[in-house]
Amino acid sequence: MSADAAKARLDAPSHALWDRLSRKADLRGRAGLTRTARPRATAVDLAGNDYLGLSRHPDVLAAAAAALAEHGLGAGGSRLVRGTTGHHEAFETEFAAHTGAETAVLYSSGYLANLGALAALPGPVLLDAHAHASLHDAARLAGGRSATFAHNDLDDLERQLQTLRPGLVAVESVYSVLGDAAPLRDLHALTSAHGALLLVDEAHAIGTIGPQGAGGVAAAGLAGDPGIVITATLSKALGAAGGAIAGPAVLRRHLHDTGRTFIFDTAPPPAVIAGARTALAIARESDSARTELARRAALAAAALDMPAPAAGVLSPPAGDARAATAWAERCTEQGIAVGCFRPPSTPDHRSRLRLTVNTGVPAEDYARAVDVVAATRRIAAS
């Protein structure tokens, strides 16, 4: 290409697609919906999901370091090629035992675990309207019929069970934005009566509720029920990364043979899984931390005039997106990290802050942070 031709290309108008995207970005900015990824700064953490503070536990770090020295940085391949190590298989066995399931399958993220589960299980699919985005995305990507029922509305679910006749109903045990719990016993009774499986995403419940932190299914007395499939992430109370599906042994075989997000994805790094194994063992013996988590959640709820949450998630409403952003920025200015959830991240289409309890934060710092959040709410609203 000649110098003149190259200059002409540089001077040419940008592609129309980029112009449209730029205009849409400007509109989002004016509505307070711009999202920015920034390196995290030192702050009191009321935004992350490290509920039990295990991501920095010395035993967790030591286990990860030993596996890093043995296996190197990455897994080296997919699970079915070269990516499986003893740590991967041991975690699957230990996680299944923890949740009361027959077996489990490990994934590189909770998102991929949900995609893999819904793609593998028979449809149609009914989803709680507040279920995590990965479950709704999975239902769309699976290509079959799907519908939603009103959040935690058993009457609406029963009506749709009678008309859609789904093979699967998908819910969260503790919902990721509002932090409320699903009525799992009632849901299980309905799905069983209509011959449907119940998929329960335990992302925010593993480690935080249930006997020895075994999650909402175990808390409801349903552990090991063949009509329930559990999905979870390792990135919250276990302080690691990865995801899992737990259920009957026949499901594991089916996922190994047909599951695209298992077959074609690189395995999670052995060091991360070694750390997650140790975190799981610690979480089982952390009843005192769970008691403290509940105490701190109740403290924040009282300060913000909200009901106490089911586990460690609180999402106080914040007006419109601009008001939510202003409130979050005032917290940041005072050294408090909070989540700022705006549509489409909020299932009820209301902008909110999201606060998460981290028992690894010193109690005095946590109490001060809650006071700051409550005080800045009044300032942001004025």
Side-chain angles (χ1 to χ4, degrees), residues 13-230:
S14 61
H15 194 287
L17 171 62
W18 310 136
D19 290 341
R20 289 200 299 275
L21 294 184
S22 180
R23 289 194 295 272
K24 289 181 178 181
D26 290 341
L27 291 172
R28 290 195 301 272
R30 288 197 285 273
L33 297 175
T34 297
R35 288 163 166 78
T36 304
R38 298 185 179 95
R40 64 185 180 195
T42 300
V44 179
D45 186 8
L46 269 63
N49 295 314
D50 189 10
Y51 294 118
L52 304 180
L54 294 179
S55 69
R56 294 184 176 275
H57 192 287
D59 292 349
V60 172
L61 297 180
L68 182 65
E70 179 182 0
H71 296 286
L73 182 60
S78 68
R79 289 290 308 280
L80 298 177
V81 180
R82 287 283 293 172
T84 296
T85 68
H87 292 297
H88 295 82
E89 292 190 326
F91 182 88
E92 290 171 332
T93 299
E94 292 157 8
F95 185 79
H98 183 60
T99 57
E102 190 174 4
T103 189
V105 180
L106 184 61
Y107 291 78
S108 58
S109 73
Y111 202 106
L112 286 181
N114 277 341
L115 293 181
L118 263 67
L121 295 170
V125 180
L126 266 175
L127 304 103
D128 187 287
H130 286 197
H132 193 269
S134 58
L135 289 168
H136 288 275
D137 290 350
R140 287 192 292 268
L141 290 171
R145 292 178 63 199
S146 65
T148 61
F149 61 94
H151 177 53
N152 277 348
D153 188 327
L154 297 171
D155 291 335
D156 188 35
L157 173 60
E158 185 164 26
R159 282 192 294 272
Q160 298 206 49
L161 282 165
Q162 292 170 348
T163 56
L164 188 64
R165 299 190 181 279
L168 183 70
V169 173
V171 303
E172 291 184 75
S173 53
V174 174
Y175 282 90
S176 55
V177 177
L178 300 189
D180 54 339
L184 292 180
R185 289 183 184 176
D186 293 334
L187 288 165
H188 178 254
L190 277 177
T191 55
S192 297
H194 289 271
L197 290 173
L198 178 63
L199 183 144
V200 182
D201 184 339
E202 295 263 40
H204 293 272
I206 291 294
T208 64
I209 63 173
Q212 296 186 294
V217 171
L222 299 170
D225 189 288
I228 294 178
V229 172
I230 288 171

Side-chain angles (χ1 to χ4, degrees), residues 337-353:
V338 297
C340 182
F341 279 31
R342 296 154 289 167
S345 299
T346 48
D348 59 356
H349 307 295
R350 299 177 68 189
S351 293
R352 298 174 174 272
L353 291 199

